[in-house]
Amino acid sequence: MADLTRYSVIDDKNPREIALLRGRGCTWRRCRFCDYHLDCSKDEQDNLAVNRAVLGQVTGVFGRLEVINSGSFFELDSSSIALVEQVCREKSIRDLHVESHWVYRTRIPALRARFETLGVHLHVKIGVESFDANFRERVLDKGIDETDPAAIAEQFDECCLLFGLSGQTALSMLSDIQTGLAHFDRVCVNLMVENATDVRPDADVHQLFVREIYPRFKDDPRVDILLNNTDFGVGGL
Ligand code: SF4
């Protein structure tokens, strides 16, 4: 995965810079639809070199930075986390968006406190994919052993949803977005695309989303919608 585009600027909703970093790799690795956890290395110095090049492009233009790493922020090496802190200081970043799997939820308060000492407000995003716990765990194997959306949201500020899968309906997708907006500050909708896993996008469900759901939320400032998983300008463009 050497040819990924790792830096971009999102200038419409919630304007921010975005950096795709590389970490040690996702420890969960079981989500059936996911192949991006392959972007990882156990070589800390190699990761640091990649991440230094990416973070070196951050200008601080919006004072807001999103850092993702094909896994959880906690799976970045400590040297790369220190580099993120340095960039926040040097570029006057006041808001930092990161991602975390449910399994790390108890470590989030300490991470928030660590960044607060730098004057940086942390926004933590969780990949929920669906609030239908049965579908989420039996079909997607997401690894969230909690069914109550309010309880899931306790340590998290934002959530990702995954649409375009067989079995989803206009009603289920609408319900997922409405639940997300009721419990989280922001919702990020991803549409399933072809990848190296056995999970295939369902073209009919995709069309259903575009026809019936997308128009209702495309201008909602709290909803990001990625019809293609590279719409933020990072990844395998
Ligand atoms: S937690 Fe994230 S990176 Fe890990 S397998 Fe699931 S979707 Fe992929």
Side-chain angles (χ1 to χ4, degrees), residues 3-11 15-21 50-68 87 91 93 230-237:
D3 296 330
L4 297 177
T5 300
R6 294 183 179 275
Y7 169 82
S8 184
V9 176
I10 300 166
D11 53 14
R16 60 201 187 273
E17 293 172 270
I18 183 166
L20 171 58
L21 305 185
V50 168
N51 296 338
R52 184 172 281 127
V54 180
L55 290 168
Q57 298 175 71
V58 172
T59 65
V61 57
F62 301 121
R64 185 179 289 272
L65 174 66
E66 178 164 2
V67 162
I68 56 176
V87 168
K91 302 297 179 183
I93 300 299
T230 54
D231 283 353
F232 277 157
V234 294
L237 298 177

Side-chain angles (χ1 to χ4, degrees), residues 44 52 61 65 99 102 112 139 154 167 180-181 195 214:
E44 179 166 356
R52 184 172 281 127
V61 57
L65 174 66
E99 294 184 328
W102 171 248
R112 284 190 204 281
V139 178
E154 223 164 80
L181 288 174
N195 64 18
Y214 182 65

Side-chain angles (χ1 to χ4, degrees), residues 84-184:
V84 172
E85 290 177 316
Q86 184 186 331
V87 168
C88 286
R89 271 195 305 269
E90 292 177 356
K91 302 297 179 183
S92 302
I93 300 299
R94 291 287 163 259
D95 290 274
L96 180 68
H97 298 255
V98 303
E99 294 184 328
S100 172
H101 188 271
W102 171 248
V103 76
Y104 296 112
R105 65 195 177 283
T106 59
R107 294 175 58 182
I108 292 173
L111 189 68
R112 284 190 204 281
R114 178 172 169 177
F115 276 93
E116 283 298 340
T117 63
L118 302 175
V120 177
H121 185 58
L122 203 64
H123 306 258
V124 186
K125 191 191 287 186
I126 180 173
V128 170
E129 321 309 352
S130 172
F131 290 101
D132 177 341
N134 200 38
F135 177 75
R136 183 181 70 229
E137 299 309 321
R138 295 202 178 178
V139 178
L140 304 180
D141 201 5
K142 193 66 213 182
I144 301 176
D145 58 352
E146 173 59 66
T147 57
D148 178 7
I152 295 173
E154 223 164 80
Q155 299 295 340
F156 296 89
D157 309 288
E158 307 177 351
C159 72
C160 286
L161 299 172
L162 182 64
F163 293 164
L165 300 168
S166 297
Q168 292 179 316
T169 64
L171 197 60
S172 77
M173 293 186 278
L174 178 62
S175 165
D176 275 336
I177 294 179
Q178 289 173 332
T179 302
L181 288 174
H183 295 282
F184 296 83

Side-chain angles (χ1 to χ4, degrees), residues 200-220:
R200 299 268 86 87
D202 185 318
D204 292 338
V205 178
H206 186 112
Q207 283 171 17
L208 195 61
F209 173 81
V210 170
R211 202 172 56 239
E212 297 194 21
I213 309 297
Y214 182 65
R216 293 180 63 160
F217 297 99
K218 69 180 175 54
D219 297 321
D220 189 323

